[in-house]
Amino acid sequence: MIALIGLLVVAGSAYVIQKFSKVIIENKILFVIAMVVFATAWGLLILPSQELDLLFFIALICKLIVYMTCIHMVNSVGRIQYEALIERINTDFLTQLSSRTAFEKSFDQSFKAAQNKTIQLVFIILDIDNFKLVNDTYGHLIGDAVLKEVAYAISENITHYRGAELFRIGGEEFGIILANTDYNEAQKMSLNILNAVNKLSVNTEKGTFGVTISIGVAEWLDKDKTKEIFYNRAESYLYFAKNNGKNAVTVDGVIVNR
């Protein structure tokens, strides 16, 4: 009977620990309670087959708790290190924006949600004009400073938009994923970003210069059968802005700031 009770408690506690593992691991009190119950259940399971006095039985339970606590501590350290690594992978070192790796995951999820009609999706792609000339003329340290300033200017102009995610997707190129933001609002956001960047002034030993940016804005449509088609359409609008004087916002193939 004791063994049967122990078996039932082991099975029940194992189920609860597995089902609510995240909550139990993150709460020290719950973790201790879970370990005491689990260890006691195992003790009851083996008690009928052993001639154990009470003190030895308690010592055995305590030993099991210590072992499981040590395992938990090792796992916790490993989890912290893993989460730190993921954070580094998902964060661009220079601008502290989300990285290309994070973008790929979020873009894929957002695209699937748009296909399922659960969100209204807009993608904005932005590129700093003449950035190579900045690096060649003023050096890469100044180029890095420009990237940081532009990243900050973009960030400041998307904070009030629910569901807006900003990424550095490569070199001097940035991307904004907008979920459930009206297309007209996305256009206003893009114009605000353009104006904010135009106000930037970079001081160097060789003189002061301004910064401009080109922007392509695309709303997901049924014709965008794959995420690559959708991405490429937004990128084509960016290139249209680049090829037509730069410092422009192209929405659905039309420059809207001139």
Side-chain angles (χ1 to χ4, degrees), residues 93-127:
F93 176 75
L94 180 64
T95 62
Q96 294 303 301
L97 300 180
S98 296
S99 67
R100 178 72 189 220
T101 301
F103 168 76
E104 294 291 349
K105 181 179 180 180
S106 182
F107 190 71
D108 181 66
Q109 292 174 341
S110 299
F111 181 81
K112 289 176 181 177
Q115 282 187 313
N116 294 331
K117 310 296 184 182
T118 57
I119 65 169
Q120 179 183 9
L121 179 61
V122 176
F123 176 50
I124 303 174
I125 187 167
L126 316 89
D127 188 89

Side-chain angles (χ1 to χ4, degrees), residues 9-22:
V9 176
V10 166
S13 58
Y15 172 77
V16 171
I17 291 171
Q18 188 276 331
K19 186 174 180 62
F20 302 100
S21 58
K22 185 175 181 180

Side-chain angles (χ1 to χ4, degrees), residues 140-154:
H140 288 278
L141 289 179
I142 296 300
D144 288 349
V146 170
L147 285 169
K148 292 177 183 179
E149 289 294 324
V150 170
Y152 181 77
I154 298 172

Side-chain angles (χ1 to χ4, degrees), residues 82-226:
Y82 173 78
E83 290 174 351
L85 176 60
I86 293 299
E87 181 67 22
R88 288 198 296 270
I89 291 173
N90 288 333
T91 303
D92 176 63
F93 176 75
L94 180 64
T95 62
Q96 294 303 301
L97 300 180
S98 296
S99 67
R100 178 72 189 220
T101 301
F103 168 76
E104 294 291 349
K105 181 179 180 180
S106 182
F107 190 71
D108 181 66
Q109 292 174 341
S110 299
F111 181 81
K112 289 176 181 177
Q115 282 187 313
N116 294 331
K117 310 296 184 182
T118 57
I119 65 169
Q120 179 183 9
L121 179 61
V122 176
F123 176 50
I124 303 174
I125 187 167
L126 316 89
D127 188 89
I128 301 174
D129 296 327
N130 305 312
F131 187 70
K132 184 178 184 303
L133 182 61
V134 171
N135 279 330
D136 292 344
T137 304
Y138 302 101
H140 288 278
L141 289 179
I142 296 300
D144 288 349
V146 170
L147 285 169
K148 292 177 183 179
E149 289 294 324
V150 170
Y152 181 77
I154 298 172
S155 299
E156 286 294 288
N157 283 276
I158 71 170
T159 54
H160 301 300
Y161 291 87
R162 181 174 59 87
E165 297 179 273
L166 174 60
F167 307 84
R168 183 186 177 195
I169 56 179
E172 65 272 26
E173 200 167 75
F174 303 86
I176 302 172
I177 296 174
L178 285 171
N180 293 322
T181 297
D182 181 80
Y183 201 31
N184 292 327
E185 285 298 310
Q187 178 176 319
K188 292 178 183 178
M189 174 200 288
S190 299
L191 291 171
N192 289 337
I193 291 171
L194 187 81
N195 293 330
V197 172
N198 283 339
K199 293 177 181 178
L200 296 178
S201 181
V202 183
N203 299 314
T204 74
E205 294 178 352
K206 296 182 180 180
T208 301
F209 66 93
V211 183
T212 65
I213 194 168
S214 296
I215 304 174
V217 184
E219 180 181 28
W220 181 85
L221 303 172
D222 287 330
K223 67 179 181 180
D224 298 314
K225 300 300 183 183
T226 68

Side-chain angles (χ1 to χ4, degrees), residues 72-84:
H72 169 64
M73 291 175 64
V74 171
N75 287 338
S76 296
V77 172
R79 188 177 74 253
I80 291 171
Q81 292 177 337
Y82 173 78
E83 290 174 351

